[in-house]
Amino acid sequence: MANELKKLITAAGKKKFEDELASLIEERHKVSKEIGAAREQGDLSENADYDAAKDRQSEVEHRILELQALLENYRVLKEDELDPKKINVGCVVTLYDKNFDEEIIYTIVGAPEADSRKRLISYESPVGKALLGFSEGDSVTVDLGDSVLDFDILNLEY
């Protein structure tokens, strides 16, 4: 897949997923040994240890495949692709929310990293998409269909 067609994640997100993948690959070997030990116990038809190990093996293999696909299909923006004065993936942006008369801080991330509780918003979400390319001092209106959000961009940093 061409690099420009890949979706984006932050460097921290990529590292987190790579670390998880490495950990699961180690766990794959551990689970394989557990299956072997359970097999040595004899009759597999009523062997709870064997069933549990096989279930865990299935979970681990499934997540490994997910992470491999994610890492293959996402990329980190290179420094020369970023304009440090404009909002993009990896940017921490401080906004003034005109609707609620409060400051709010978001980090713009790739979709697999998004976590609204931690104020990590995807660049593909309505708010994230609306913020992309704007600079400090700009005002942004986000039309959500049933409501409209109005923000002033107070600060951004990478």
Side-chain angles (χ1 to χ4, degrees):
M1 178 182 289
N3 212 22
E4 59 275 354
L5 297 178
K6 291 185 177 186
K7 293 185 176 192
L8 303 173
I9 57 174
T10 64
K14 181 179 181 194
K15 170 119 176 62
K16 177 183 151 207
F17 294 128
E18 288 170 337
D19 290 349
E20 182 184 355
L21 178 59
S23 174
L24 286 171
I25 288 171
E26 285 180 26
E27 187 168 347
R28 170 194 272 166
H29 299 298
K30 180 182 161 197
V31 171
S32 179
K33 288 178 184 176
E34 290 172 4
I35 290 171
R39 273 194 184 118
E40 291 175 4
Q41 294 175 11
D43 183 13
L44 298 180
S45 65
E46 293 184 22
N47 187 326
D49 291 341
Y50 178 78
D51 291 341
K54 287 298 281 183
D55 287 346
R56 182 63 187 146
Q57 180 185 43
S58 176
E59 293 168 5
V60 167
E61 292 300 327
H62 178 74
R63 184 62 179 156
I64 285 172
L65 290 174
E66 283 182 339
L67 289 168
Q68 288 172 331
L70 186 151
L71 290 166
E72 185 174 314
N73 292 303
Y74 282 80
R75 71 180 185 93
V76 175
L77 278 177
K78 295 178 185 147
E79 204 169 300
D80 64 350
E81 295 177 282
L82 290 171
D83 179 344
K85 297 189 184 293
K86 296 193 181 290
I87 297 172
N88 209 326
V89 176
C91 181
V92 178
V93 60
T94 304
L95 305 169
Y96 173 70
D97 185 332
K98 296 176 185 179
N99 300 62
F100 293 99
D101 189 31
E102 66 182 2
E103 281 188 18
I104 189 164
I105 299 173
Y106 287 123
T107 302
I108 310 300
V109 297
E113 305 167 86
D115 184 342
S116 61
R117 294 168 301 187
K118 294 179 182 177
R119 301 206 183 216
L120 302 172
I121 62 169
S122 169
Y123 73 95
E124 298 175 279
S125 70
V127 173
K129 196 179 296 186
L131 292 171
L132 290 180
F134 281 93
S135 301
E136 197 172 297
D138 289 342
S139 293
V140 179
T141 299
V142 183
D143 185 352
L144 299 175
D146 59 345
S147 64
V148 175
L149 304 175
D150 289 303
F151 300 111
D152 288 331
I153 301 170
L154 303 178
N155 186 49
L156 61 97
E157 56 188 70
Y158 284 91

